[in-house]
Amino acid sequence: MKRRKFIQNTSLGSLGVVAGATALGCKSEVEKDTSMIASKEQKPAPMVIATWDVPNAVNKAWETLQENKSAIDAIEAGCRVEEADAKNQSVGYGGRPDRDGNVTLDACIMNSEGDYGSVVYLQGIKHPISVARKVMEETPHVLMAGAGAQQFALEQGFEKENLLTEQSKKEWEEWTKTSNYEPVINIENHDTIGMLAIDKDGNISGGCTTSGLAYKMAGRVGDSPIIGSGLFVDNEIGAATATGMGEEVLKTVGSFLIVELMRQGRSPQEACEEAVERIVTKNPNYKDFQVGYIAVNKNGETGAYSIHPGFVASEYRETGKNTYAPGSFLKNAE
Ligand code: SD4
């Protein structure tokens, strides 16, 4: 049995659980707030939102939705654009290496059925988002790492290539002169791509792909490929994704937190703000790093928020294509 079918057959959605409990006459202690759950008839129009100013990637995802394809197809197509772009030194080909000079990639993808696939510490494969999708669709697993993930990718027909461009190599060689590890807060508005999309059927999917923090320790994995941290999708409620200092997102399980806050009735904007504030209140050094979140709910409403100004979000929908600077904790606090 395919993994997806198995999951469908064995898990009850939370609504189903509540309905089932009622049918069996059980008393539920928790009143479920269904106000954030759109009815099946109320389909939001297709849309895509991404972290940072990445017009080529968002446009590709948007065009894919316009071809009536699914949100998961749009996510994969959009993320691949950025992975192939050597100028984006935070993602895929051309990404900045770790401190040993190796480009190591993290990516994950999650569909509207709650299926998830992820690769971490993948080397030599240009499109980790597509490998992550293969993990989701072709294996009984959700997360594959390092050499095993690469072997799986090769078996799936992906090619092994050198991802370290001359530019990234030159900058790394320069860095080794001091070896001062200090992540830059906003890297040229080109950064990890977190992308969320709603298709014509109202289904939500998301993806996140990155080369991680520049000059990280060998073996370091960030938030981006970790379910609930760099990305989370719940098709009943909404989705969220993160960019910035992965360690802080991991410690607060940021994307899951945002989706759960939306489940409790917060707007996407309120949920993003609370997730950032959670990091700020737990970390006295919060001024030293950036974290940014974007979120969308089942009705297609969006939110975005970061610690520092400088974060950018790109949102495309039928009513317009918008790249904007969301609010930030520090700007608001000053
Ligand atoms: C990481 N969150 O590996 C990623 C990096 C990133 O903006 O988003 N940079 O921690």
Side-chain angles (χ1 to χ4, degrees):
M1 193 189 289
K2 277 247 174 208
R3 184 171 66 93
R4 188 152 39 118
K5 269 269 159 285
F6 176 78
I7 290 167
Q8 276 173 351
N9 290 345
T10 54
S11 72
L12 286 167
S14 52
L15 268 181
V17 171
V18 170
T22 312
L24 290 169
C26 301
K27 249 195 202 162
S28 170
E29 285 181 12
V30 183
E31 279 280 310
K32 190 168 175 71
D33 177 5
T34 53
S35 61
M36 293 307 295
I37 302 174
S39 78
K40 290 238 160 53
E41 293 78 49
Q42 266 186 290
K43 284 182 192 147
M47 58 82 60
V48 54
I49 181 168
T51 54
W52 304 106
D53 183 10
V54 284
N56 296 335
V58 186
N59 216 31
K60 182 70 189 176
W62 178 245
E63 279 170 16
T64 307
L65 292 175
Q66 298 301 294
E67 290 162 14
N68 286 336
K69 294 205 174 121
S70 64
I72 196 82
D73 285 340
I75 292 293
E76 183 185 5
C79 288
R80 283 175 64 95
V81 168
E82 224 49 40
E83 288 176 340
D85 183 357
K87 286 195 270 358
N88 186 336
Q89 291 177 286
S90 301
V91 180
Y93 176 63
R96 294 187 178 88
D98 65 16
R99 58 184 56 183
D100 297 339
N102 297 311
V103 180
T104 72
L105 304 177
D106 297 338
C108 73
I109 197 160
M110 194 162 179
N111 69 17
S112 53
E113 293 166 38
D115 292 330
Y116 163 84
S118 159
V119 286
V120 307
Y121 197 63
L122 177 65
Q123 298 186 50
I125 307 287
K126 192 187 266 178
H127 288 300
I129 194 77
S130 297
V131 185
R133 187 168 178 181
K134 290 283 186 199
V135 171
M136 178 173 80
E137 292 178 349
E138 306 295 336
T139 81
H141 308 305
V142 294
L143 194 158
M144 294 184 73
Q150 189 194 61
Q151 187 190 328
F152 168 70
L154 297 175
E155 283 163 11
Q156 290 289 322
F158 292 84
E159 274 174 29
K160 193 169 170 184
E161 39 194 317
N162 174 24
L163 303 180
L164 185 63
T165 54
E166 276 311 307
Q167 180 66 26
S168 288
K169 188 171 173 209
K170 236 169 58 193
E171 290 177 15
W172 167 69
E173 283 167 350
E174 195 54 35
W175 175 81
T176 57
K177 290 179 185 163
T178 56
S179 295
N180 181 22
Y181 182 68
E182 204 174 337
V184 182
I185 282 174
N186 292 303
I187 307 169
E188 298 161 357
N189 283 353
H190 263 303
D191 221 342
T192 294
I193 300 306
M195 188 181 273
L196 311 171
I198 303 182
D199 61 26
K200 65 167 194 341
D201 296 322
N203 287 323
I204 310 173
S205 293
C208 192
T209 179
T210 187
S211 51
L213 296 180
Y215 319 135
K216 59 195 176 185
M217 290 173 74
R220 182 264 187 192
V221 172
D223 62 307
S224 305
I226 305 300
I227 189 168
S229 290
L231 174 73
F232 196 70
V233 177
D234 182 329
N235 199 42
E236 276 185 8
I237 304 296
T241 186
T243 182
M245 181 65 80
E247 282 72 7
E248 301 305 323
V249 177
L250 280 162
K251 286 191 281 184
T252 49
V253 200
S255 293
F256 184 71
L257 172 63
I258 290 171
V259 172
E260 291 307 301
L261 288 167
M262 291 195 290
R263 191 191 306 276
Q264 291 163 19
R266 306 285 211 295
S267 70
Q269 186 60 35
E270 288 166 346
C272 287
E273 290 179 17
E274 189 160 336
V276 164
E277 279 159 25
R278 188 75 59 93
I279 292 174
V280 162
T281 51
K282 284 187 179 293
N283 194 326
N285 303 325
Y286 69 89
K287 287 187 181 166
D288 297 341
F289 55 82
Q290 174 68 307
V291 168
Y293 288 111
I294 58 171
V296 65
N297 68 12
K298 190 65 179 167
N299 298 322
E301 294 153 354
T302 55
Y305 200 65
S306 59
I307 299 176
H308 291 265
F311 178 46
V312 178
S314 305
E315 191 174 315
Y316 286 22
R317 50 175 91 232
E318 261 145 31
T319 48
K321 299 181 172 181
N322 192 11
T323 298
Y324 62 99
S328 55
F329 181 85
L330 278 172
K331 201 163 62 190
N332 282 1
E334 274 156 14

